[in-house]
Amino acid sequence: MSDRIVMYSFTGITIGEARFPDISPFNVKLQAYLEASQADYTVVTLASKETTPNPPKGKFPFVKLPNGDLLPDSQIIIERLEQGKDAKDQLDGWLSQEQLAISNIIRGALDEKLYFILMYTRYVEEPIVHKLINKIMELVLPWVPECCNFILRSVGKYYRSWFVRSCLKGQGIARHSPLEVRKMGVELLKSVEELMSSEGPFFHGAKLSLVDLVIYAYGNTCKLHLAAAELTPDSVEAFYETSQKLRRHYQHMDALLTSKLLSKVQTSLEIVR
């Protein structure tokens, strides 16, 4: 039995000279955690030729633990792995109770609100998904004849966009106007920026903690969207790019992690802007 953790995710993305570890912030968050905690792990993507088990709870990412158990959900996985460590070795082990509370609030705001705002950008306001879907369909339908493949990709593109729009409407974010959604996202990021340490380079100051990995993951998604399409100057992504604290934080995390993440993701889909 291997002691290595196997992480299952989507795929890397290449847009021009820019490379991204994954299209999902949850996948990036989990891989960033595995890297930051110096875990022994490997990444299996949909673009690789390896067999992927059925995802528990039907979503990515998930991992296969050394004992063979499949564990879903980036946050559940991180909490499970952290619980197996001594307190002094946990990434949040050095934080005060107040800092832990702030970190949990920030993570919840990003995972449960900013995620849907960014998906609104991707699927509703600026359908970046149309640039990704053909490539993604090629991963799951490599055996389909070209004539059928074209039809399935075309139908899949619009079905996926319609399905996600319906989900976002059910969640609530797609019931707002683009201007209202952008304002919500910018105000949320302003709050994150206000709570960040002015000393840096990390959110709470001189040491890395779990909230840094969450902020980095959403910064990665913002960067991907900016590379894939022309967005309005008042977009959430544009604010992230121009915010002094957030930009400085991302630059530091990027230098610390991105090349290591990319080295573990052996496959990357090339998207033409």
Side-chain angles (χ1 to χ4, degrees):
M1 182 180 296
S2 174
D3 291 332
R4 176 172 290 183
I5 296 169
V6 180
M7 173 184 166
Y8 296 93
S9 62
F10 295 135
T11 183
I13 296 290
T14 299
I15 305 174
E17 297 182 357
R19 293 184 63 204
F20 303 91
D22 205 275
I23 61 174
S24 166
F26 299 112
N27 293 346
V28 175
K29 176 178 74 170
L30 176 58
Q31 193 188 354
Y33 165 77
L34 294 172
E35 195 64 51
S37 60
Q38 299 181 327
D40 182 12
Y41 76 99
T42 186
V43 177
V44 174
T45 68
L46 286 176
S48 68
K49 301 303 180 183
E50 298 184 49
T51 302
T52 299
N54 290 328
K57 298 188 178 180
K59 63 179 185 177
F60 287 81
F62 65 99
V63 298
K64 182 166 71 174
L65 299 175
N67 65 3
D69 288 348
L70 297 179
L71 189 64
D73 190 279
S74 61
Q75 191 60 30
I76 291 175
I77 295 166
I78 290 171
E79 290 174 0
R80 168 83 172 269
L81 295 176
E82 285 290 278
Q83 287 169 1
K85 301 178 183 179
D86 293 334
K88 63 181 178 61
D89 296 324
Q90 295 175 357
L91 288 182
D92 280 353
W94 62 280
L95 297 178
S96 68
Q97 289 301 309
E98 181 180 358
Q99 288 172 321
L100 278 172
I102 292 172
S103 292
N104 286 334
I105 291 171
I106 294 296
R107 181 195 60 77
L110 298 185
D111 281 350
E112 305 300 334
K113 186 170 184 180
L114 184 62
Y115 171 76
F116 292 103
I117 290 171
L118 292 174
M119 292 308 100
Y120 183 96
T121 300
R122 183 180 292 182
Y123 290 97
V124 180
E125 184 175 5
E126 174 62 48
I128 298 171
V129 66
H130 290 179
K131 301 182 180 183
L132 305 177
I133 196 66
N134 282 351
K135 294 286 185 179
I136 294 172
M137 292 292 283
E138 288 171 7
L139 300 182
V140 297
L141 298 172
W143 42 267
V144 176
E146 183 59 31
C147 59
C148 298
N149 202 333
F150 172 78
I151 296 172
L152 286 172
R153 287 202 308 267
S154 299
V155 173
K157 175 174 66 176
Y158 291 103
Y159 172 77
R160 175 69 173 169
S161 182
W162 169 83
F163 176 76
V164 176
R165 286 173 188 233
S166 298
C167 290
L168 291 176
K169 189 171 183 179
Q171 186 271 342
I173 195 68
R175 297 176 185 271
H176 300 290
S177 70
L179 182 61
E180 290 169 335
V181 174
R182 292 196 295 270
K183 184 177 180 181
M184 290 178 197
V186 169
E187 290 301 316
L188 193 159
L189 287 183
K190 283 181 178 179
S191 297
V192 173
E193 183 182 44
E194 184 65 29
L195 291 170
M196 292 182 78
S197 168
S198 57
E199 298 175 1
F202 300 109
F203 182 86
H204 287 297
K207 292 182 65 176
L208 179 78
S209 63
L210 290 175
V211 72
D212 291 297
L213 307 178
V214 181
I215 297 171
Y216 163 72
Y218 284 95
N220 189 269
T221 299
C222 288
K223 292 280 189 179
L224 190 156
H225 287 183
L226 288 167
E230 292 285 348
L231 301 180
T232 59
D234 63 340
S235 68
V236 178
E237 293 85 350
F239 178 82
Y240 196 105
E241 184 77 358
T242 57
S243 162
Q244 183 177 352
K245 283 186 178 180
L246 290 172
R247 185 177 70 250
R248 182 183 63 189
H249 181 272
Y250 183 83
Q251 289 171 345
H252 186 78
M253 296 295 293
D254 180 54
L256 187 68
L257 289 173
T258 302
S259 62
K260 295 177 181 178
L261 269 58
L262 290 170
S263 70
K264 297 287 182 70
V265 180
Q266 299 300 321
T267 53
S268 183
L269 300 181
E270 186 171 355
I271 307 299
V272 177
R273 178 168 175 169

